[in-house]
Amino acid sequence: MKILGIETSCDETAAAVLEEKNGKISVLSNIVSSQIEIHKKYGGVVPEVAAREHILNILPVINEALIGAGIERKNANKKLDAIAVTAGPGLITSLVIGVETSKTLSYVWQLPIIPVNHIEGHIYANFIGDYKKIKLPAVVLTVSGGHTMLILMKGHDNLKTIGDTRDDAAGEAFDKAAKLMNIGYPGGPAIAKMATKTISATDQINETIKTIDNRLKKAQPPTEENLFQIHLPRPMINSSDYDFSFSGLKTALLYELQKDNNWKSKIPQYSQDFQQAIVDVLVSKTIKAAKQYKVKSVMLAGGVAANTELREQLKNAVGKLNLQYILPDMQFTTDNAAMIASAGIFKAKRSKSFDWKKIKVDCNLKL
Ligand code: KG4
Ligand code: ZN
């Protein structure tokens, strides 16, 4: 089965062709046209601007995906089995462009069209490749700019949300915190990069001692208490449910910055603790859910799954439970169409009747 995937739910115009053969899913092409450079100056995605860019990009991106997969446009109807497209959730003006383009192609090529939930797409990024090795049930931590969810996956048509974000999603919190510190957009990668620049308290002491030894040869070394330390809250880490809330964390950071005249020199430390606060909460709740639901595997999905600390720290925690740990290849973490096509493949196995006249955009589409 060969499927063309199309994704335009936010600020990436993406198309990909995936093939399923002998129990494996391979990516024949994967094209992503990112609008990051355009939205950077506003510090966030401007829906109207995103939609205009999608209109300009969608056909060239699909064309490139077909060429990349070795499919001639005039033969596309014979080479492809279906078109999978993100129908929601997302920005309505962005979604509509992907969906209407897909409907047009479906009409012209006489191919079935498969509506895919964007969150489901993120989860199915994990099924690209040798998907048969994945053990279910799984608890899936889905973390993106718009969502922070814990999902219990018992089967391909059996996804149950067990925890959701009450306010800001993890990615959104990263983006807002980076904006507060003025370190760039998108905030997740900017904060992750800054956090690597921190040095430990012990290293700070040793550095200071070295400097003092060299220059004065007689001063007392500073104590750890004299050095800068920060500890932001870990919101809802001990709550009895699986919900998340990150808007208070961002406000806590704002208050810390306002109190500190010298915060600009300590951006790495603030970034490090902000990132660690989010990772602590995500890992703790995911592990708690994995134990309660007695799953066989733990899966990570969504744009924030690109965060190295989260990938590593969750891996260590899952390792202690002796469960399978599944995480997406880096290129399939942030928005792309390969994940949409992958979800489409599994949906097409369940049903063949997808009619272009019935596909509707739903910006609040639930799982
Ligand atoms: O899944 P995605 O591409 O779009 C949505 O569906 O929302 O996720 C984008 C989010 C942004 O908030 C971005 O800051 C975050 O993913 N992100 C990261 C990293 N790379 C992207 N967050 C933390 N660390 C990263 N390395
Ligand atoms: Zn996404």
Side-chain angles (χ1 to χ4, degrees):
M1 185 187 325
K2 262 187 206 162
I3 292 207
L4 168 68
I6 295 175
E7 151 68 36
T8 63
S9 68
C10 191
D11 60 338
E12 263 92 25
T13 321
V17 179
L18 267 64
E19 181 173 32
E20 200 238 358
K21 216 162 66 182
N22 308 326
K24 281 201 178 121
I25 294 179
S26 46
V27 179
L28 305 186
S29 64
N30 181 33
I31 309 295
V32 181
S33 167
S34 170
Q35 302 175 12
I36 283 178
E37 285 308 315
I38 295 166
H39 298 285
K40 225 176 199 167
K41 55 179 176 287
Y42 308 107
V45 178
V46 184
E48 168 68 23
V49 176
R52 286 191 221 176
E53 286 300 311
H54 283 311
I55 290 182
L56 297 176
N57 294 334
I58 187 89
L59 289 180
V61 165
I62 291 172
N63 198 38
E64 240 184 274
L66 293 177
I67 292 169
I71 297 175
E72 275 188 85
R73 225 167 46 224
K74 60 176 194 282
N75 292 331
N77 57 335
K78 293 188 204 90
K79 300 281 178 185
L80 293 168
D81 295 287
I83 300 165
V85 62
T86 308
L91 301 170
I92 186 85
T93 41
S94 289
L95 286 163
V96 127
I97 292 151
V99 169
E100 290 307 310
T101 307
S102 304
K103 280 161 82 170
T104 310
L105 293 176
S106 157
Y107 177 77
V108 174
W109 289 339
Q110 293 291 298
L111 288 174
I113 175 169
I114 308 164
V116 172
N117 182 305
H118 183 78
I119 306 294
E120 203 175 353
H122 275 302
I123 296 172
Y124 276 89
N126 284 297
F127 288 79
I128 295 171
D130 184 10
Y131 64 81
K132 290 214 157 129
K133 67 171 196 264
I134 296 176
K135 295 180 193 156
L136 297 179
V139 73
V140 192
L141 173 66
T142 310
V143 263
S144 68
H147 297 86
T148 305
M149 296 168 93
L150 274 170
I151 294 158
L152 180 64
M153 182 176 196
K154 287 189 180 163
H156 289 291
D157 208 7
N158 194 340
L159 299 173
K160 189 175 148 218
T161 305
I162 55 173
D164 210 336
T165 178
R166 295 203 183 163
D167 39 55
D168 290 357
E172 190 179 357
F174 272 116
D175 294 340
K176 288 178 175 171
K179 206 169 175 179
L180 288 178
M181 295 188 281
N182 201 16
I183 55 172
Y185 171 84
I191 288 185
K193 191 169 167 209
M194 278 294 170
T196 61
K197 295 185 181 161
T198 51
I199 54 172
S200 70
T202 319
D203 289 344
Q204 285 184 58
I205 294 172
N206 291 338
E207 265 310 298
T208 318
I209 294 173
K210 236 183 355 198
T211 318
I212 293 167
D213 273 356
N214 289 345
R215 295 202 186 146
L216 303 170
K217 303 275 184 202
K218 58 182 186 247
Q220 289 293 310
T223 61
E224 197 158 324
E225 289 80 64
N226 292 339
L227 288 162
F228 167 75
Q229 279 192 331
I230 174 167
H231 191 74
L232 294 164
R234 270 58 178 160
M236 291 182 72
I237 194 161
N238 293 318
S239 71
S240 55
D241 53 21
Y242 293 110
D243 283 350
F244 301 91
S245 161
F246 291 114
S247 106
L249 176 63
K250 165 207 67 196
T251 313
L253 174 69
L254 171 68
Y255 290 157
E256 290 294 328
L257 299 179
Q258 281 172 344
K259 276 193 297 193
D260 184 355
N261 289 332
N262 221 357
W263 67 267
K264 283 192 183 156
S265 66
K266 299 168 198 159
I267 289 175
Q269 286 90 335
Y270 281 110
S271 298
Q272 199 273 332
D273 196 57
F274 188 85
Q275 173 177 258
Q276 192 55 48
I278 291 184
V279 171
D280 282 348
V281 177
L282 295 177
V283 171
S284 158
K285 293 219 155 176
T286 306
I287 294 301
K288 193 172 137 197
K291 284 183 188 161
Q292 189 194 324
Y293 289 94
K294 298 189 171 53
V295 293
K296 292 187 179 150
S297 63
V298 172
M299 228 182 257
L300 183 58
V304 183
N307 188 278
T308 313
E309 283 302 319
L310 177 60
R311 291 169 85 91
E312 282 301 307
Q313 294 184 35
L314 187 58
K315 180 181 171 189
N316 294 339
V318 173
K320 286 185 191 141
L321 298 182
N322 274 326
L323 298 177
Q324 186 183 30
Y325 180 51
I326 300 148
L327 77 177
D329 199 281
M330 273 291 192
Q331 61 174 320
F332 305 128
T333 52
T334 48
D335 290 351
N336 64 86
M339 66 186 202
I340 303 302
S342 175
I345 287 172
F346 286 89
K347 277 192 127 177
K349 283 173 192 254
R350 299 198 290 273
S351 169
K352 296 261 180 283
S353 57
F354 296 104
D355 183 349
W356 65 266
K357 292 193 271 324
K358 294 192 181 132
I359 310 296
K360 284 205 176 69
V361 168
D362 180 354
C363 57
N364 292 314
L365 188 64
K366 299 279 176 249
L367 268 181

